[in-house]
Amino acid sequence: MMSKYVFTFFKRVADATGHEIEAPQDSIELSSITLRDAIESATRHFAEKRHVRDWSLRADGIAISLTA
């Protein structure tokens, strides 16, 4: 059975007061049989969209949500 995931890529930046926040860079929704395959697909898509080899060159982390 396929599960649906939402991946939100974020970058840690300082806000106007100097506090660190996680600024969303992109959100990708996809379905996959395994979480591992979903992560590989989402990170590959994010990197290709930004013309970089590794997604972590444009984001500091990923938040993953399982949707209904």
Side-chain angles (χ1 to χ4, degrees), residues 3-21:
S3 297
K4 188 184 249 183
Y5 302 94
V6 176
F7 295 84
T8 303
F9 292 82
F10 61 86
K11 189 83 171 164
R12 288 184 191 93
V13 296
D15 67 8
T17 64
H19 293 93
E20 188 175 273
I21 61 168

Side-chain angles (χ1 to χ4, degrees), residues 14-67:
D15 67 8
T17 64
H19 293 93
E20 188 175 273
I21 61 168
E22 293 178 347
Q25 301 299 301
D26 199 357
S27 184
I28 299 169
E29 185 174 317
L30 55 89
S31 297
S32 181
I33 294 175
T34 68
L35 177 57
R36 172 181 236 148
D37 290 343
I39 292 169
E40 289 175 8
S41 181
T43 55
R44 184 176 53 252
H45 177 76
F46 182 84
E48 287 172 357
K49 190 173 179 182
R50 281 151 186 76
H51 308 286
V52 293
R53 196 161 246 243
D54 185 341
W55 68 271
S56 64
L57 295 171
R58 297 288 187 261
D60 294 320
I62 309 168
I64 305 169
S65 301
L66 181 62
T67 63

